[in-house]
Amino acid sequence: MSLISQIRKDRLPRHVAIIMDGNGRWAKKQGKERVFGHFQGVDSVRKTVKAALQSGVEYITLYAFSTENWNRPQEEVNALMELLVNTILNEVPSMNDQGIRLRFIGDRNSLPGKCKETIIAAEGLTENNSKLTLILALSYSARWEILNAVKKIVDSGVESERITEELFSSALETKDFPDPELLIRTSGELRISNFLLWQIAYAELFFTDKFWPEFDEELFYEAILSFQSRERRFGKTSEQMTHSA
Ligand code: FPP
């Protein structure tokens, strides 16, 4: 039986976040430069979007460039920025036709001008789409986001008693999106690497040894099925969950 036909529509994660890792190692294994892995990684992004649309997942967040990635060799940073801009420019018309809304989280002001212009235009063009929201994390780190939220709250002069989880969430980059229920990381690394630290408080984690350029629809469905096989209790007992179901 195909994997997608085993997915239960009534227990889908609404939001899946992905740490796309292993492009460089995958390329080196083929005897190629690291950037070749990033190019190939774009194909995996297309497959992921296709699988999200097929399965009915509403939000996907991809960790495309972290704050720490600025420390890579300048040549690789330039190649990644160029690839991101070109991919967005090439893919946006077809994404728009498919009802995909593009959003970006991260420190926009640290991005090169061309990249910033491209993401603003892509968000504007696709803002009314509602089939799938594809969120790209660019120049993003969770600690940067959390500190930024603290600064906004302090600057607003709100009294400390009025600071709730809801208020804090509304100061984050992700204020318009539900929290991810499933987090996937490729390449065999078992870390979160400063990604969505506040938002993944209750997320299920799925790790695979496959490198990002090897990720495809089937692996996405496998992660969803793994999510659906788990019991999510949010701190309650199994008995309480049976009674409230
Ligand atoms: C991690 O592999 C990957 C990245 C830092 C970049 C991810 C970007 C893409 C796949 C391009 C995506 C394009 C869009 C539009 C989202 P790594 O370089 O850290 O690999 P390594 O761990 O083997 O060194």
Side-chain angles (χ1 to χ4, degrees), residues 20-25 34 38 41 64 69 72 80 84 87 136:
M20 310 181 286
D21 197 13
N23 292 349
R25 277 167 286 160
R34 293 175 51 81
H38 301 317
N69 286 155
R72 292 191 173 196
L80 264 172
L84 284 162
T87 305
L136 297 186

Side-chain angles (χ1 to χ4, degrees), residues 2 44-45 47 52 62 74 159 161 173 181 227:
S2 69
S44 301
V45 171
K47 291 175 182 167
L62 302 176
Q74 193 60 44
E159 291 158 32
E161 306 83 72
E173 295 281 295
E181 287 150 281
F227 169 88

Side-chain angles (χ1 to χ4, degrees), residues 85-193:
V85 168
N86 290 337
T87 305
I88 296 164
L89 289 174
N90 288 337
E91 304 287 334
V92 158
S94 122
M95 286 189 179
N96 196 32
D97 290 344
Q98 294 175 81
I100 300 171
R101 175 168 71 137
L102 260 171
R103 295 290 301 271
F104 297 86
I105 57 173
D107 183 6
R108 290 168 186 236
N109 292 329
S110 67
L111 294 170
K114 175 81 184 158
C115 186
K116 201 170 149 182
E117 280 167 33
T118 306
I119 68 177
I120 291 171
E123 282 183 328
L125 182 73
T126 61
E127 71 183 338
N128 294 321
N129 295 338
S130 55
K131 192 120 197 243
L132 168 70
T133 300
L134 176 62
I135 304 148
L136 297 186
L138 282 186
S139 193
Y140 172 89
S141 85
R143 288 188 175 181
W144 166 83
E145 177 188 38
I146 289 170
L147 271 184
N148 221 24
V150 170
K151 289 177 195 168
K152 279 190 225 168
I153 293 170
V154 170
D155 287 348
S156 76
V158 64
E159 291 158 32
S160 60
E161 306 83 72
R162 294 196 37 234
I163 301 176
T164 57
E165 288 191 10
E166 287 68 33
L167 183 110
F168 191 79
S169 295
S170 73
L172 293 171
E173 295 281 295
T174 50
K175 63 179 186 312
D176 299 328
F177 320 128
D179 285 342
E181 287 150 281
L182 172 62
L183 172 73
I184 299 173
R185 182 173 189 149
T186 57
S187 92
E189 306 290 350
L190 309 178
R191 288 188 296 277
I192 303 300
S193 300

Side-chain angles (χ1 to χ4, degrees), residues 12-29:
L12 271 180
R14 287 188 73 199
H15 185 172
V16 178
I18 307 182
I19 302 176
M20 310 181 286
D21 197 13
N23 292 349
R25 277 167 286 160
W26 179 84
K28 288 283 164 197
K29 231 177 66 180

Side-chain angles (χ1 to χ4, degrees), residues 1 56 73 77 83 90 112 144 164 174 179 220-221 223 230 233 237:
M1 196 166 39
V77 170
L83 177 65
N90 288 337
W144 166 83
T164 57
T174 50
D179 285 342
F220 185 85
Y221 300 145
R230 305 182 201 182
R233 298 206 301 267
T237 66

